[in-house]
Amino acid sequence: DTEVTQTPKHLVMGMTNKKSLKCEQHMGHRAMYWYKQKAKKPPELMFVYSYEKLSINESVPSRFSPECPNSSLLNLHLHALQPEDSALYLCASSLMTDSYEQYFGPGTRLTVT
Amino acid sequence: RKEVEQDPGPFNVPEGATVAFNCTYSNSASQSFFWYRQDCRKEPKLLMSVYSSGNEDGRFTAQLNRASQYISLLIRDSKLSDSATYLCVVTGGYSSASKIIFGSGTRLSIRP
């Protein structure tokens, strides 16, 4: 089973709202990732968790706050977003970081109004 | 120079044709290489890893040329369902921190 699940599939939020995106995998992977993807662009890496610890933050604004409650779950907390943050947010996991294949979830399509 | 470069295409080829595209990378210390395909408004899906010895999976063949710093993907007997954007991914680098770089993608369109 190479499934990564993400909820919700779609999210519309105002600039003053607080919301969370959720990601789950049961493949025993120890690395999990958040990506942001705009239309016709490749995914941009935001955060990497390795063994439930944040190992990479690609200079992401603090209005995005990741959390890894356990080895299977990854959350992305959103607060005071801007319209330009509207994008597809993808979660991925891999056995470990670096040289391992990543498996992506279907993404959450976020619209900030 | 971008760290990972791909010809954006689109490549528009007839069904049954053979098509190939490359992905060049600038960091000679890069360690691992992958091809993903992404359909419109869907997530990237792993197509294949690229090994030093090359690898083949059915109609798909991937090669790595470390001397010239590029990877390639060859699709034989192309099908309509092969229409997608193909993303190369290069990982690893000088430091121990993860370095994951996506190419900008090559759009492939197969026509009947």
Side-chain angles (χ1 to χ4, degrees), chain B:
Chain B
R1 182 186 172 189
K2 286 185 184 176
E3 291 184 84
V4 176
E5 291 200 70
Q6 291 184 252
D7 183 340
F11 285 62
N12 190 325
V13 302
E15 201 173 2
T18 295
V19 61
F21 22 86
N22 292 340
C23 168
T24 59
Y25 60 96
S26 61
N27 186 344
S28 59
S30 297
Q31 297 168 341
S32 300
F33 309 87
F34 307 94
W35 283 105
Y36 285 78
R37 68 167 280 165
Q38 186 170 26
D39 295 290
C40 189
R41 298 180 70 80
K42 298 282 192 180
E43 74 274 23
K45 289 191 189 298
L46 179 68
L47 184 62
M48 54 203 312
S49 304
V50 189
Y51 305 122
S52 296
S53 55
N55 55 317
E56 187 173 318
D57 183 4
R59 299 181 293 107
F60 297 84
T61 301
Q63 299 277 355
L64 166 63
N65 186 317
R66 281 199 182 273
S68 300
Q69 294 182 203
Y70 73 88
I71 62 172
S72 63
L73 180 67
L74 178 80
I75 306 174
R76 287 181 297 277
D77 187 23
S78 52
K79 312 288 185 196
L80 295 175
S81 56
D82 295 333
S83 297
T85 295
Y86 290 82
L87 298 157
C88 68
V89 175
V90 176
T91 74
Y94 294 115
S95 75
S96 60
S98 290
K99 185 82 170 160
I100 303 164
I101 313 269
F102 275 76
S104 55
T106 296
R107 276 184 33 222
L108 175 63
S109 178
I110 308 297
R111 63 179 188 270

Side-chain angles (χ1 to χ4, degrees), chain A residues 10-33:
Chain A
H10 300 275
L11 178 62
V12 179
M13 61 186 288
M15 289 190 283
T16 58
N17 292 158
K18 283 186 182 180
K19 296 285 185 184
S20 296
L21 310 184
K22 295 187 185 305
C23 173
E24 192 166 0
Q25 57 87 15
H26 294 288
M27 296 179 277
H29 288 177
R30 304 315 301 264
M32 295 186 78
Y33 311 78

